[in-house]
């Protein structure tokens, strides 16, 4: 079986799984709705000319209340898993995740500053915009700090990311001390959540994400070669520094898009790519699309669980509660190698 055939097979199977998870999730809630009714409501809304009849209450619940949140969860999971694949391949370390160079911390600073200190952004940036901009500024800063003489050693980049994350963590803690009545909202955002999702947010992410993903798909061969090491990649004709800059910039943008609308959701970009690598192998031409689609299904499923209890909890708590034991299980039962 060729690589392209494997990629198409995995992508097709995981796409079917994602659709099934989305339709199943749309029926779960205080008002239970059968899958066929969910499907009819969605199809009827997309194609009004078909004249499909669905009770108005159920249609409003599915299309206006649940579907925006579910689709946003799918897009955020898609983005975090995509960035996780790139970061794990870039650092040749299965323990790497999208926040490793401080992007999530940067987004958190922007969001918390907008909540606690409205005057901190005189240009009128809203929370999502502020989080996105500060995330990209953080990634760019880390890259500049790690670059010397036109070269950016991976180890230096990692250490710079850790240092910047630590500093930004102290900034967030300081703002938390002075958050007053905004404390609950700040903590809720930092835990990662998808409540209150709107079609506007879904549209922004749906428009922003595909071009970035296509760029990463173009560089899957280069990512495979980089796994051999930078010196070997250079000898095989890869422009190593240019490729690293592009991968860092695009994966940071992908992470920033996700974190800006959902807050800090951990473990998705760590556990899903690692688990999929054990299943489909390390070839990024198959791994990247497979992990992205699996991440979308994973976050939709975990968010469904988060909102299904007697009291809704932030989805970031659920991903951590499910992801940590599963990751420990993988560490105990599978031998973990450097990539």
């Amino acid at each position: 079986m060729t690589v392209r055939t494997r990629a198409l097979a995995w992508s097709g199977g995981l796409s079917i799984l994602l659709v099934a998870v989305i339709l199943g999730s749309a029926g779960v809630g205080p008002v239970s709705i059968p899958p066929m009714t969910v499907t009819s409501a969605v199809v009827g809304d997309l194609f009004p000319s078909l004249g499909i009849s669905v009770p108005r209450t159920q249609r409003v619940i599915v299309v206006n209340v649940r579907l925006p949140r579910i689709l946003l969860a799918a897009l955020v999971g898609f983005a975090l898993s995509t960035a996780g694949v790139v970061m794990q391949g870039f650092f040749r370390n299965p323990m790497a995740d999208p926040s490793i160079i401080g992007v999530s911390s940067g987004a958190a600073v922007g969001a918390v500053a907008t909540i606690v200190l409205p005057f901190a952004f005189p240009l009128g940036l809203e929370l999502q915009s502020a989080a996105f901009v500060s995330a990209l500024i953080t990634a760019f800063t880390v890259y500049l700090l790690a670059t010397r003489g036109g070269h950016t050693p991976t180890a230096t980049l990692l250490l710079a990311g850790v240092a910047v994350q630590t500093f930004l963590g102290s900034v967030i803690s300081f703002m938390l001390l002075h958050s007053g009545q905004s404390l609950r909202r700040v903590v809720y955002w930092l835990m990662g959540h998808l409540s209150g999702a709107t079609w506007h947010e879904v549209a922004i992410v749906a428009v922003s994400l595909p071009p970035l993903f296509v760029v990463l798909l173009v560089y899957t061969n280069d990512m495979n070669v980089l796994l051999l090491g930078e010196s070997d990649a250079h000898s095989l004709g890869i422009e190593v520094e240019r490729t690293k800059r592009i991968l860092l910039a695009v994966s940071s943008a992908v992470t920033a898009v996700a974190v800006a609308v959902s807050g800090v959701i951990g473990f998705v970009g760590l556990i899903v790519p690692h688990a999929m690598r054990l299943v489909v192998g390390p070839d990024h031409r198959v791994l990247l699309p497979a992990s992205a689609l699996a991440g979308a299904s994973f976050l939709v499923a975990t968010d469904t669980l988060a909102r299904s209890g007697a009291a809704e909890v932030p989805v970031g708590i659920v991903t951590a509660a499910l992801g940590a034991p599963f990751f420990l299980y993988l560490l105990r039962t599978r031998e973990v190698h450097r990539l």
Side-chain angles (χ1 to χ4, degrees), residues 13-48:
L14 289 168
S15 295
I16 294 172
L17 174 64
L18 176 59
V19 172
V21 172
I22 288 174
L23 293 177
S25 176
V28 176
V31 178
S32 181
I33 302 175
M36 287 304 299
T37 304
V38 171
T39 304
S40 298
V42 173
V43 174
D45 194 69
L46 290 174
F47 306 100

Side-chain angles (χ1 to χ4, degrees), residues 23-158:
L23 293 177
S25 176
V28 176
V31 178
S32 181
I33 302 175
M36 287 304 299
T37 304
V38 171
T39 304
S40 298
V42 173
V43 174
D45 194 69
L46 290 174
F47 306 100
S49 60
L50 296 178
I52 298 176
S53 178
V54 177
R56 184 176 183 278
T57 300
Q58 293 182 329
R59 179 190 170 278
V60 170
I61 290 174
V62 171
V63 176
N64 296 345
V65 178
R66 294 180 184 170
L67 210 53
R69 176 170 180 163
I70 292 168
L71 293 180
L72 189 64
L75 290 168
V76 170
F78 188 101
L80 293 176
S81 293
T82 295
V85 170
V86 177
M87 289 300 177
Q88 290 179 10
F90 185 91
F91 288 101
R92 289 183 289 160
N93 188 334
M95 301 298 290
D97 75 346
S99 65
I100 198 166
I101 59 170
V103 178
S104 296
S105 297
V109 168
V112 174
T114 304
I115 296 171
V116 178
L117 310 167
F119 58 85
F121 290 90
L123 297 179
L125 295 174
E126 296 179 354
L127 186 147
Q128 290 83 358
S129 300
F132 178 78
V133 171
S134 60
L136 291 185
I137 291 175
T138 301
F140 182 70
T141 301
V142 170
Y143 176 78
L144 288 180
L145 290 172
T147 302
R148 290 290 181 274
H151 295 280
T152 311
T154 301
T156 306
L157 185 69
L158 177 60

Side-chain angles (χ1 to χ4, degrees), residues 52-288:
I52 298 176
S53 178
V54 177
R56 184 176 183 278
T57 300
Q58 293 182 329
R59 179 190 170 278
V60 170
I61 290 174
V62 171
V63 176
N64 296 345
V65 178
R66 294 180 184 170
L67 210 53
R69 176 170 180 163
I70 292 168
L71 293 180
L72 189 64
L75 290 168
V76 170
F78 188 101
L80 293 176
S81 293
T82 295
V85 170
V86 177
M87 289 300 177
Q88 290 179 10
F90 185 91
F91 288 101
R92 289 183 289 160
N93 188 334
M95 301 298 290
D97 75 346
S99 65
I100 198 166
I101 59 170
V103 178
S104 296
S105 297
V109 168
V112 174
T114 304
I115 296 171
V116 178
L117 310 167
F119 58 85
F121 290 90
L123 297 179
L125 295 174
E126 296 179 354
L127 186 147
Q128 290 83 358
S129 300
F132 178 78
V133 171
S134 60
L136 291 185
I137 291 175
T138 301
F140 182 70
T141 301
V142 170
Y143 176 78
L144 288 180
L145 290 172
T147 302
R148 290 290 181 274
H151 295 280
T152 311
T154 301
T156 306
L157 185 69
L158 177 60
L159 293 173
V162 171
V164 170
Q165 281 190 74
T166 303
F167 172 75
L168 294 179
S170 67
V171 174
I172 294 171
S173 297
F174 177 80
M175 287 191 289
L176 282 172
L177 288 174
H178 297 83
S179 57
Q181 296 182 346
S182 302
L183 179 62
R184 182 179 178 85
R185 185 184 174 196
V186 171
V187 173
Y188 197 72
W189 192 91
L190 290 174
M191 289 179 178
H193 71 94
L194 294 161
S195 61
T198 64
W199 281 112
H200 178 66
E201 290 177 327
V202 173
I204 291 175
V205 181
V207 170
S208 305
L209 196 54
L212 298 171
F213 185 71
V214 169
V215 173
L216 294 176
L217 282 177
V218 171
Y219 277 86
T220 50
N221 277 324
D222 290 4
M223 284 189 270
N224 285 340
V225 178
L226 283 173
L227 293 179
L228 301 173
E230 293 185 12
S231 58
D232 289 338
H234 182 75
S235 65
L236 290 173
I238 301 296
E239 296 183 44
V240 174
E241 292 301 322
R242 177 177 176 272
T243 301
K244 287 165 62 178
R245 284 195 296 270
I246 292 174
L247 292 177
L248 278 174
V250 177
S251 60
S252 296
V254 168
T255 305
V257 168
V259 176
V261 297
S262 66
V264 183
I265 299 177
F267 261 102
V268 179
L270 174 63
I271 192 67
V272 175
H274 184 66
M276 291 306 299
R277 185 177 290 104
L278 295 174
V279 176
V280 306
D283 191 332
H284 287 91
R285 292 171 293 180
V286 181
L287 178 62
L288 185 63

Side-chain angles (χ1 to χ4, degrees), residues 69 184 187-189 191-195 262 265 299 302-322:
R69 176 170 180 163
R184 182 179 178 85
V187 173
Y188 197 72
W189 192 91
M191 289 179 178
H193 71 94
L194 294 161
S195 61
S262 66
I265 299 177
L299 194 56
T302 51
D303 186 56
T304 303
L305 183 62
R307 61 180 172 82
S308 298
E312 181 179 322
V313 298
V315 67
I317 294 176
V318 180
T319 59
L322 294 177

